[in-house]
Amino acid sequence: MERVNRSYLDVILASIYSLIFSAVLIAILAVIIMFSSIGEKGVIALNIVIKMLSIFIGVFMAFKEMKKGMIKGLVVGIIYALFTYLIYSIVNKDFSLSTFTICDIISCFISGIVAGIFKVNIKKES
């Protein structure tokens, strides 16, 4: 029973950490954009990197139970993708799914899976 609870806690904390880290990085990116001439394609690329990095950091900070990394990582990716999609859609008042949005969501899923696999397979140096 404790293992199930720890898995839930790992996923919840990783999702929260990912979203917080993402918000901080996006705020930094917004400041950089104000003072530079980064084009739209550059912003899109940086946004994807921020999402992937945020998921990795959230997973690496939160996962304590070193089991089921792929499944827990996928769930973190799903939660992260849903929250970011909802926030973006609410801000833009547009809930349509474009090809780019679907690719973005899939990249979150894949990032979560890869981060979870890496996290549970990294051996701690003693």
Side-chain angles (χ1 to χ4, degrees), residues 29 33 38-48:
L29 179 60
I33 290 170
I38 297 175
E40 184 179 342
K41 288 184 181 184
V43 172
I44 291 170
L46 288 172
N47 187 36
I48 292 169

PDB file of all heavy atoms in Angstrom, residues 29 33 38-48:
ATOM      1  N   LEU A  29      12.131  33.811 -20.167  1.00  0.00           N
ATOM      2  CA  LEU A  29      12.088  33.911 -21.628  1.00  0.00           C
ATOM      3  C   LEU A  29      11.334  35.170 -22.069  1.00  0.00           C
ATOM      4  O   LEU A  29      11.756  35.845 -23.009  1.00  0.00           O
ATOM      5  CB  LEU A  29      11.441  32.666 -22.234  1.00  0.00           C
ATOM      6  CG  LEU A  29      11.307  32.640 -23.757  1.00  0.00           C
ATOM      7  CD1 LEU A  29      12.666  32.734 -24.440  1.00  0.00           C
ATOM      8  CD2 LEU A  29      10.556  31.389 -24.200  1.00  0.00           C
ATOM      9  N   ILE A  33      12.823  38.026 -24.439  1.00  0.00           N
ATOM     10  CA  ILE A  33      12.169  38.404 -25.692  1.00  0.00           C
ATOM     11  C   ILE A  33      11.951  39.911 -25.774  1.00  0.00           C
ATOM     12  O   ILE A  33      12.097  40.523 -26.838  1.00  0.00           O
ATOM     13  CB  ILE A  33      10.829  37.652 -25.846  1.00  0.00           C
ATOM     14  CG1 ILE A  33      11.101  36.178 -26.100  1.00  0.00           C
ATOM     15  CG2 ILE A  33       9.980  38.240 -26.961  1.00  0.00           C
ATOM     16  CD1 ILE A  33       9.862  35.302 -26.036  1.00  0.00           C
ATOM     17  N   ILE A  38      14.537  37.869 -30.854  1.00  0.00           N
ATOM     18  CA  ILE A  38      14.318  36.453 -31.131  1.00  0.00           C
ATOM     19  C   ILE A  38      13.064  36.326 -31.983  1.00  0.00           C
ATOM     20  O   ILE A  38      12.010  36.862 -31.648  1.00  0.00           O
ATOM     21  CB  ILE A  38      14.148  35.653 -29.828  1.00  0.00           C
ATOM     22  CG1 ILE A  38      15.423  35.714 -28.987  1.00  0.00           C
ATOM     23  CG2 ILE A  38      13.788  34.198 -30.121  1.00  0.00           C
ATOM     24  CD1 ILE A  38      15.297  35.051 -27.635  1.00  0.00           C
ATOM     25  N   GLY A  39      13.185  35.613 -33.083  1.00  0.00           N
ATOM     26  CA  GLY A  39      12.048  35.436 -33.989  1.00  0.00           C
ATOM     27  C   GLY A  39      11.053  34.417 -33.454  1.00  0.00           C
ATOM     28  O   GLY A  39      11.290  33.744 -32.453  1.00  0.00           O
ATOM     29  N   GLU A  40       9.947  34.302 -34.158  1.00  0.00           N
ATOM     30  CA  GLU A  40       8.879  33.387 -33.735  1.00  0.00           C
ATOM     31  C   GLU A  40       9.348  31.941 -33.681  1.00  0.00           C
ATOM     32  O   GLU A  40       9.027  31.209 -32.748  1.00  0.00           O
ATOM     33  CB  GLU A  40       7.682  33.509 -34.680  1.00  0.00           C
ATOM     34  CG  GLU A  40       6.506  32.671 -34.258  1.00  0.00           C
ATOM     35  CD  GLU A  40       5.312  32.821 -35.177  1.00  0.00           C
ATOM     36  OE1 GLU A  40       5.243  33.790 -35.938  1.00  0.00           O
ATOM     37  OE2 GLU A  40       4.446  31.940 -35.119  1.00  0.00           O
ATOM     38  N   LYS A  41      10.131  31.534 -34.670  1.00  0.00           N
ATOM     39  CA  LYS A  41      10.634  30.155 -34.680  1.00  0.00           C
ATOM     40  C   LYS A  41      11.571  29.896 -33.502  1.00  0.00           C
ATOM     41  O   LYS A  41      11.555  28.817 -32.925  1.00  0.00           O
ATOM     42  CB  LYS A  41      11.338  29.856 -35.994  1.00  0.00           C
ATOM     43  CG  LYS A  41      10.379  29.735 -37.158  1.00  0.00           C
ATOM     44  CD  LYS A  41      11.075  29.355 -38.435  1.00  0.00           C
ATOM     45  CE  LYS A  41      10.044  29.275 -39.546  1.00  0.00           C
ATOM     46  NZ  LYS A  41      10.616  28.826 -40.794  1.00  0.00           N
ATOM     47  N   GLY A  42      12.343  30.892 -33.139  1.00  0.00           N
ATOM     48  CA  GLY A  42      13.224  30.762 -31.981  1.00  0.00           C
ATOM     49  C   GLY A  42      12.440  30.628 -30.686  1.00  0.00           C
ATOM     50  O   GLY A  42      12.789  29.828 -29.820  1.00  0.00           O
ATOM     51  N   VAL A  43      11.374  31.392 -30.569  1.00  0.00           N
ATOM     52  CA  VAL A  43      10.521  31.324 -29.379  1.00  0.00           C
ATOM     53  C   VAL A  43       9.851  29.954 -29.285  1.00  0.00           C
ATOM     54  O   VAL A  43       9.790  29.359 -28.208  1.00  0.00           O
ATOM     55  CB  VAL A  43       9.471  32.457 -29.386  1.00  0.00           C
ATOM     56  CG1 VAL A  43       8.465  32.278 -28.264  1.00  0.00           C
ATOM     57  CG2 VAL A  43      10.144  33.814 -29.284  1.00  0.00           C
ATOM     58  N   ILE A  44       9.371  29.448 -30.404  1.00  0.00           N
ATOM     59  CA  ILE A  44       8.729  28.131 -30.425  1.00  0.00           C
ATOM     60  C   ILE A  44       9.728  27.058 -30.001  1.00  0.00           C
ATOM     61  O   ILE A  44       9.417  26.191 -29.175  1.00  0.00           O
ATOM     62  CB  ILE A  44       8.139  27.826 -31.816  1.00  0.00           C
ATOM     63  CG1 ILE A  44       6.941  28.738 -32.081  1.00  0.00           C
ATOM     64  CG2 ILE A  44       7.746  26.355 -31.937  1.00  0.00           C
ATOM     65  CD1 ILE A  44       6.418  28.692 -33.502  1.00  0.00           C
ATOM     66  N   ALA A  45      10.936  27.108 -30.541  1.00  0.00           N
ATOM     67  CA  ALA A  45      11.959  26.122 -30.187  1.00  0.00           C
ATOM     68  C   ALA A  45      12.315  26.216 -28.701  1.00  0.00           C
ATOM     69  O   ALA A  45      12.421  25.189 -28.015  1.00  0.00           O
ATOM     70  CB  ALA A  45      13.201  26.333 -31.049  1.00  0.00           C
ATOM     71  N   LEU A  46      12.493  27.436 -28.208  1.00  0.00           N
ATOM     72  CA  LEU A  46      12.813  27.607 -26.789  1.00  0.00           C
ATOM     73  C   LEU A  46      11.669  27.139 -25.900  1.00  0.00           C
ATOM     74  O   LEU A  46      11.907  26.568 -24.824  1.00  0.00           O
ATOM     75  CB  LEU A  46      13.157  29.066 -26.492  1.00  0.00           C
ATOM     76  CG  LEU A  46      14.504  29.547 -27.019  1.00  0.00           C
ATOM     77  CD1 LEU A  46      14.643  31.049 -26.838  1.00  0.00           C
ATOM     78  CD2 LEU A  46      15.639  28.815 -26.323  1.00  0.00           C
ATOM     79  N   ASN A  47      10.446  27.346 -26.327  1.00  0.00           N
ATOM     80  CA  ASN A  47       9.288  26.893 -25.567  1.00  0.00           C
ATOM     81  C   ASN A  47       9.283  25.370 -25.435  1.00  0.00           C
ATOM     82  O   ASN A  47       9.014  24.825 -24.363  1.00  0.00           O
ATOM     83  CB  ASN A  47       8.000  27.391 -26.220  1.00  0.00           C
ATOM     84  CG  ASN A  47       6.780  27.099 -25.399  1.00  0.00           C
ATOM     85  OD1 ASN A  47       6.806  27.140 -24.175  1.00  0.00           O
ATOM     86  ND2 ASN A  47       5.692  26.798 -26.066  1.00  0.00           N
ATOM     87  N   ILE A  48       9.583  24.679 -26.513  1.00  0.00           N
ATOM     88  CA  ILE A  48       9.634  23.215 -26.487  1.00  0.00           C
ATOM     89  C   ILE A  48      10.761  22.745 -25.571  1.00  0.00           C
ATOM     90  O   ILE A  48      10.581  21.822 -24.766  1.00  0.00           O
ATOM     91  CB  ILE A  48       9.794  22.643 -27.911  1.00  0.00           C
ATOM     92  CG1 ILE A  48       8.515  22.902 -28.706  1.00  0.00           C
ATOM     93  CG2 ILE A  48      10.109  21.154 -27.874  1.00  0.00           C
ATOM     94  CD1 ILE A  48       8.617  22.625 -30.181  1.00  0.00           C
TER      95      ILE A  48
END
